[in-house]
Amino acid sequence: MKKTIKISPFNRVEGDLEIKVGLEDGKVTEAYASGVMFRGFERLLKGRDPMDALVFTCRICGICSASHSTACSNALRVAFKAKMPPNAYLARNIILATEVLLNHLTHFYLFFAVDLVNKKYLGSGAHRELARRFAPFEGSSYSKFIRARTNLLGVLGLFAGKWPNTLALQPGGTTRPVNLSEIIRAKGILVEFQNFLEHDLLGSEIERWLENKNLKDIDFWMGEDGHENSDLGLFIRSAPRFGLDKIGRGPGKFLSCGGYELADGTTWLKSGYFDGEFKSFNEGKITEDIKYSWLKGYEKGRHPFEGVTEPDVDKPGAYSWAKSPRYNGNVVEVGPLARMINDRDPLVLNLVSDIGPSVYTRVLARLHEEIRLLKQLNIWLEEIDPSQPFYIKPEKPKEAEGKGLIEAARGVLGHWIIIEKDKIKNYQVITPTTWNVSPRDSHGNPGAVEEALIGTSVEDEKNPVEIAHIIRSYDPCLFCTVHALKMNKPITTFELAVQGIIKREYS
Amino acid sequence: MVNLLWLQSGCCGGSTISFLNADQPDILTALEMLGARFVWHPDLSPVMGEEVLEIFDRFKSEKERLDVLMVEGAIYHGPNGTGKYFIFHDRPFKDWILDLAKVAHYTMAIGTCSSFGGIPAASNNPMEATGLQFLHEKKGGLLGPNYMSRSGLPVINIAGCPAHPDWIVETLIALISGKLDSSGLDKYQRPKVFYSKLAHHACPRNEYYEFKASAEEYSQQGCLFENLGCKATQCESDCNERLWLGRTGSCTRGGFPCISCTSPKFPDGFVPFFETEKIGDIPTTLPLDVPKAWYVGISGLAKLACPKRLLVNAVSFKRVDVE
């Protein structure tokens, strides 16, 4: 029997999303995810002073505002040919990493884990325990996280003054030099946060968790010292039982532009494109289509430097305000899973080869990145030399162009600016969620999340929690995105080669 | 139980995130103090889809009392007054807000966007954005100049980009306990207790300000007013007294200028953001109630009297000891 269900509003994501899926005998055959709000920042910026972009673009998104500040100040840095002192690279990474730490756990505790309390799992045996910990506003872990989150904000206060919407990140570095006293305070805050991670999320020391290199290691870790009773342990116990390792595969192609720029010109997390083979990342291969967006001005894909954002609210066939970014014409997934794969993280590569991309893999990759990042954040704090500067004043050119691509919590974030006669001639932004939740492109290829939904069995159409798991596993931030896709043929095979050895089939 | 309903209109979610940043009290303690619950909050509630519309219906038909309607984000009227830039369950979102505002006991605008239009209403306002009851300084907005919620109060504007969590939490508590009436609001309907101060108050750079010892570029310790665009002497807020992020920071403590984000004229009333416009040597952005002639006289004297310690440190990124 054919049926369409609509979830509007689809909430507990950032922004406004509407989901329509077509079901045939309980299986998703069509998926429509629509970004239902137009925001038009590109239009607001046209003709303004290039520095105004620092004020405006961090306000694209309240949850990842420092990521936009980082990308924007990078685009301006390229345009201004500005230089930054080594301390600035460290301070910027500390600000960005703190935001990502906050984002990943906000996603897990406030957005994702709430679905594990869904009534579908009442008979699972674990429901009482899940509800006791993860019920919104009341769960014990939920409450503890709200307080741990608040404590961690102090790092942002010390390095960025205010958040969301700091202006501390500038093309020439950061406006906030820190002294030894402040570094010590920040370290103390991180110790407290690490205590929360170790006591509640992991139930083990982070070093012990980081010894896990494959699924077998995780199995062993679970049986050790009561780790299975931590929040992560409970998730690892529940997810396969709830089938979360079998849903939400997505396109199986993963893009990362490289995370956390270092003073030596490299990035802490490696960039790359993985489609079964590891390939290098090339910014020139990014294009955006608008065939199914309520936008006009061009046909086929365009590089963001040639991008146009002109609304066309009654455009026939369109179903989303989001554009369709593609990499070398391919639909790709971005985010922590893509970052960990391209960084060749052994644990995540093993998960992907043994289980495949899935809701479970994606959530675990995000939490694993959280743990790696906290460790690295301490190293960056240690490397700051408070006797040295944090900023070099740049000169502003009258004509220039610049691009800033960074890894935000949810994946590749790009800003492109063209400056003409001292003013912004064009400003284009591609956010991570636009990559993940894009509509079809001009070739009819669906976006990553729609593809991930197709083929999913929905047990109770009045309570389509399976769809919720899949969409939320990408941690969408809809202050950007949305659309529709039809399945031409059933997806029966999925192939993924990791390190050239392993091939698996999924039915 | 006090029923709260939080809606997100044309926004970035920044004030929701800021609300989550509350620490004294944190949001869970605040809800406990209020005896309140979010019947729905788009980021936090488990409920989605049709069930949300059922909640709206219960409020609209007054089967359930809507104690506080909290709206984050600008109201989009575009294109051409249709509201189609934001369709919520097949209807322009502005129409949902109109319905719910009719039955709300109190209506709060959370953040500068829902208060005055904010960033979406910048430039030539391509989204045709307004706040709930204002567009910039002009009264009207979506609900009209004469709107009163059931309590007899107009929209209460918790301006700020984002709003400070205390401003949201304390206003809620004051309203529910009957301690905020119209005499507690300024002409832009912001609670005076927070907005009758200046962001300049308690700025740690105030000694530099007094002696006009100014930073020449970012990352230096001097005052940001004379050269680097700081609007803290015009910005009505208690940011530097109250502090942000677990009381660890503020804009000027972060080394960047205040851009007066609590003002109805934000953002375009405060450009350029990062440098100070001057006529001769005199900034055009003088503190609101300081006569220009006096300012010129006092600052000339202050510069002459400035201790060397401040002159040197104003242009240094780290503390320099001066004998």
Side-chain angles (χ1 to χ4, degrees):
Chain A
M1 202 184 75
K2 247 185 147 165
K3 219 170 164 164
T4 304
I5 56 173
K6 176 161 115 167
I7 311 175
S8 167
F10 185 93
N11 52 279
R12 243 179 318 115
V13 295
E14 294 291 327
D16 297 278
L17 179 60
E18 187 173 285
I19 299 290
K20 273 186 216 164
V21 294
L23 292 175
E24 218 168 310
D25 301 324
K27 252 192 177 171
V28 176
T29 53
E30 271 185 290
Y32 301 74
S34 301
V36 286
M37 188 204 289
F38 179 60
R39 299 188 66 226
F41 269 74
E42 287 96 340
R43 284 203 302 167
L44 285 175
L45 283 168
K46 218 167 242 188
R48 298 191 72 105
D49 185 312
M51 289 292 284
D52 289 2
L54 285 173
V55 171
F56 277 64
T57 61
C58 60
R59 290 170 163 88
I60 288 174
C61 177
I63 195 164
C64 62
S65 74
S67 301
H68 282 282
S69 301
T70 308
C72 176
S73 57
N74 280 1
L76 291 172
R77 171 152 52 102
V78 172
F80 293 179
K81 298 189 171 61
K83 297 265 179 289
M84 300 198 305
N87 274 344
Y89 288 88
L90 296 166
R92 289 159 61 92
N93 284 345
I94 289 163
I95 294 166
L96 182 59
T98 307
E99 177 173 277
V100 173
L101 289 179
L102 289 162
N103 276 204
H104 282 0
L105 287 199
T106 300
H107 172 262
F108 182 72
Y109 283 107
L110 269 50
F111 301 159
F112 183 82
V114 172
D115 288 324
L116 302 175
V117 188
N118 189 278
K119 61 187 174 193
K120 178 182 174 183
Y121 307 122
L122 272 172
S124 71
H127 191 268
R128 180 179 293 201
E129 180 65 8
L130 287 163
R132 194 180 65 74
R133 290 196 208 190
F134 298 139
F137 299 104
E138 288 159 7
S140 57
S141 301
Y142 188 103
S143 314
K144 276 188 193 169
F145 169 64
I146 291 273
R147 288 167 184 127
R149 182 188 173 284
T150 305
N151 283 343
L152 183 57
L153 295 169
V155 177
L156 288 172
L158 292 168
F159 280 80
K162 187 172 100 163
W163 179 85
N165 302 344
T166 178
L167 299 173
L169 299 153
Q170 296 276 331
T174 58
T175 61
R176 176 69 160 94
V178 290
N179 60 29
L180 181 61
S181 156
E182 289 152 346
I183 292 170
I184 293 169
R185 281 173 72 192
K187 279 184 184 168
I189 292 166
L190 288 185
V191 170
E192 286 179 17
F193 191 71
Q194 184 162 335
N195 286 343
F196 165 77
L197 276 194
E198 294 187 336
H199 189 266
D200 293 278
L201 180 71
L202 282 178
S204 99
E205 290 186 1
I206 64 173
E207 291 299 338
R208 173 66 193 88
W209 168 264
L210 291 172
E211 286 167 18
N212 294 333
K213 303 295 180 206
N214 54 49
L215 270 175
K216 251 172 79 185
D217 289 350
I218 291 183
D219 283 345
F220 186 81
W221 177 86
M222 285 286 282
E224 193 186 71
D225 296 336
H227 295 156
E228 61 172 6
N229 296 320
S230 68
D231 291 344
L232 181 62
L234 181 59
F235 171 71
I236 291 172
R237 268 188 288 147
S238 309
R241 284 168 67 194
F242 297 175
L244 303 189
D245 54 341
K246 294 187 184 61
I247 56 172
R249 285 186 302 255
K253 294 170 182 171
F254 301 92
L255 187 73
S256 165
C257 63
Y260 306 96
E261 188 182 7
L262 306 172
D264 65 5
T266 62
T267 52
W268 176 57
L269 294 175
K270 288 192 270 293
S271 65
Y273 172 59
F274 179 80
D275 61 358
E277 285 173 53
F278 290 103
K279 295 170 182 163
S280 59
F281 168 73
N282 176 352
E283 179 268 343
K285 292 182 175 175
I286 296 173
T287 54
E288 282 192 301
D289 280 16
I290 56 167
K291 188 171 176 187
Y292 293 93
S293 318
W294 286 302
L295 299 169
K296 62 186 172 190
Y298 62 93
E299 305 283 322
K300 306 270 171 171
R302 275 198 185 185
H303 185 271
F305 269 137
E306 278 95 49
V308 178
T309 310
E310 265 311 306
D312 181 1
V313 72
D314 296 315
K315 180 170 160 181
Y319 48 80
S320 180
W321 286 111
K323 295 183 183 181
S324 309
R326 297 293 181 259
Y327 182 74
N328 205 17
N330 292 294
V331 179
V332 300
E333 171 173 346
V334 300
L337 177 58
R339 272 197 296 272
M340 290 295 102
I341 289 172
N342 283 300
D343 195 50
R344 309 193 191 191
D345 181 277
L347 175 64
V348 173
L349 286 178
N350 178 263
L351 285 168
V352 170
S353 66
D354 275 19
I355 300 174
S358 66
V359 168
Y360 176 57
T361 320
R362 211 166 276 124
V363 173
L364 204 53
R366 184 174 292 114
L367 295 174
H368 179 64
E369 182 182 73
E370 173 93 4
I371 294 156
R372 284 186 59 187
L373 190 54
L374 176 61
K375 185 179 170 185
Q376 187 60 33
L377 188 44
N378 276 295
I379 296 171
W380 287 328
L381 261 179
E382 191 60 44
E383 285 175 358
I384 286 186
D385 177 355
S387 70
Q388 296 300 311
F390 289 71
Y391 178 84
I392 300 167
K393 188 183 175 182
E395 295 300 319
K396 291 181 210 164
K398 287 193 177 308
E399 321 273 322
E401 55 181 53
K403 59 188 180 215
L405 282 97
I406 69 140
E407 283 290 331
R410 294 165 183 75
V412 180
L413 168 65
H415 284 213
W416 288 263
I417 185 172
I418 299 177
I419 301 168
E420 214 176 80
K421 294 179 188 151
D422 291 324
K423 301 285 180 216
I424 296 172
K425 186 189 175 206
N426 197 3
Y427 203 103
Q428 293 289 318
V429 174
I430 304 182
T431 64
T433 300
T434 314
W435 283 103
N436 285 337
V437 195
S438 69
R440 284 193 218 184
D441 53 37
S442 47
H443 302 289
N445 297 317
V449 165
E450 289 102 326
E451 189 168 336
L453 288 169
I454 296 294
T456 307
S457 295
V458 176
E459 204 175 275
D460 173 5
E461 67 195 44
K462 292 203 175 65
N463 177 31
V465 66
E466 300 84 356
I467 290 168
H469 289 316
I470 293 172
I471 294 168
R472 293 209 179 94
S473 75
Y474 286 88
D475 189 8
C477 178
L478 257 295
F479 295 118
C480 359
T481 323
V482 199
H483 23 128
L485 97 102
K486 269 209 159 129
M487 182 163 70
N488 297 322
K489 53 177 184 172
I491 300 166
T492 50
T493 348
F494 179 77
E495 287 188 355
L496 185 71
V498 175
Q499 294 174 326
I501 330 165
I502 308 137
K503 269 199 174 182
R504 289 187 88 84
E505 289 204 340
Y506 301 87
S507 57
Chain B
M1 201 49 120
V2 173
N3 288 327
L4 311 176
L5 174 66
W6 185 304
L7 300 178
Q8 289 177 337
S9 184
C11 75
C12 68
S15 283
T16 286
I17 294 300
S18 188
F19 179 61
L20 286 175
N21 293 353
D23 66 332
Q24 289 173 346
D26 64 64
I27 61 158
L28 299 175
T29 309
L31 291 173
E32 192 186 323
M33 288 166 72
L34 279 160
R37 60 170 184 147
F38 279 106
V39 182
W40 194 62
H41 183 300
D43 285 355
L44 304 173
S45 297
V47 172
M48 62 183 191
E50 297 289 339
E51 281 183 71
V52 177
L53 305 182
E54 288 164 19
I55 291 171
F56 290 1
D57 281 344
R58 286 207 302 278
F59 284 139
K60 273 163 41 183
S61 61
E62 300 188 64
K63 286 191 185 112
E64 203 165 359
R65 178 176 143 124
L66 175 51
D67 291 293
V68 190
L69 173 65
M70 306 169 81
V71 179
E72 175 183 10
I75 316 304
Y76 290 166
H77 298 258
N80 306 315
T82 61
K84 282 188 181 174
Y85 283 144
F86 183 20
I87 298 290
F88 185 91
H89 213 92
D90 304 328
R91 264 179 100 198
F93 195 63
K94 66 183 175 72
D95 295 347
W96 292 99
I97 298 175
L98 276 173
D99 286 352
L100 290 159
K102 280 182 196 147
V103 293
H105 201 70
Y106 297 108
T107 302
M108 287 171 72
I110 311 292
T112 299
C113 291
S114 56
S115 298
F116 307 122
I119 289 274
S123 299
N124 58 351
N125 196 358
M127 312 299 294
E128 301 165 44
T130 71
L132 283 178
Q133 207 168 7
F134 281 86
L135 173 58
H136 305 307
E137 293 160 289
K138 192 170 179 289
K139 214 167 164 183
L142 173 71
L143 299 175
N146 302 317
Y147 169 81
M148 302 271 188
S149 62
R150 287 282 168 89
S151 64
L153 285 176
V155 173
I156 294 161
N157 290 324
I158 311 300
C161 191
H164 192 291
D166 292 357
W167 304 338
I168 306 170
V169 167
E170 290 178 26
T171 302
L172 266 177
I173 294 176
L175 283 174
I176 298 300
S177 55
K179 288 182 178 149
L180 180 61
D181 58 26
S182 55
S183 71
L185 302 177
D186 69 12
K187 65 175 172 173
Y188 299 118
Q189 293 164 208
R190 300 172 300 189
K192 286 179 190 164
V193 62
F194 315 118
Y195 300 94
S196 63
K197 304 273 178 79
L198 295 175
H200 173 62
H201 297 163
C203 175
R205 295 166 195 260
N206 274 357
E207 193 186 18
Y208 294 99
Y209 177 83
E210 286 159 18
F211 288 100
K212 294 287 155 285
S214 299
E216 286 166 6
E217 54 188 66
Y218 287 113
S219 216
Q220 296 176 343
Q221 299 174 97
C223 177
L224 303 170
F225 167 72
E226 201 178 5
N227 301 317
L228 298 177
C230 188
K231 314 294 189 304
T233 52
Q234 301 184 315
C235 174
E236 289 158 324
S237 81
D238 60 4
C239 290
N240 264 310
E241 286 185 28
R242 186 170 293 277
L243 300 183
W244 293 68
L245 305 169
R247 324 289 153 182
T248 56
S250 71
C251 294
T252 59
R253 283 162 205 251
F256 53 89
C258 166
I259 54 175
S260 201
C261 70
T262 59
S263 164
K265 291 185 287 182
F266 177 76
D268 284 330
F270 302 96
V271 291
F273 299 116
F274 297 104
E275 47 202 86
T276 305
E277 270 189 334
K278 295 177 199 175
I279 298 173
D281 282 341
I282 313 300
T284 57
T285 51
L286 289 187
L288 292 174
D289 44 5
V290 177
K292 193 172 158 193
W294 279 108
Y295 177 87
V296 173
I298 287 171
S299 42
L301 281 173
K303 279 194 183 196
L304 291 174
C306 184
K308 191 175 173 209
R309 170 176 56 86
L310 293 180
L311 279 176
V312 172
N313 276 283
V315 293
S316 169
F317 76 91
K318 60 180 173 184
R319 200 193 71 239
V320 180
D321 294 324
V322 176
E323 294 302 315

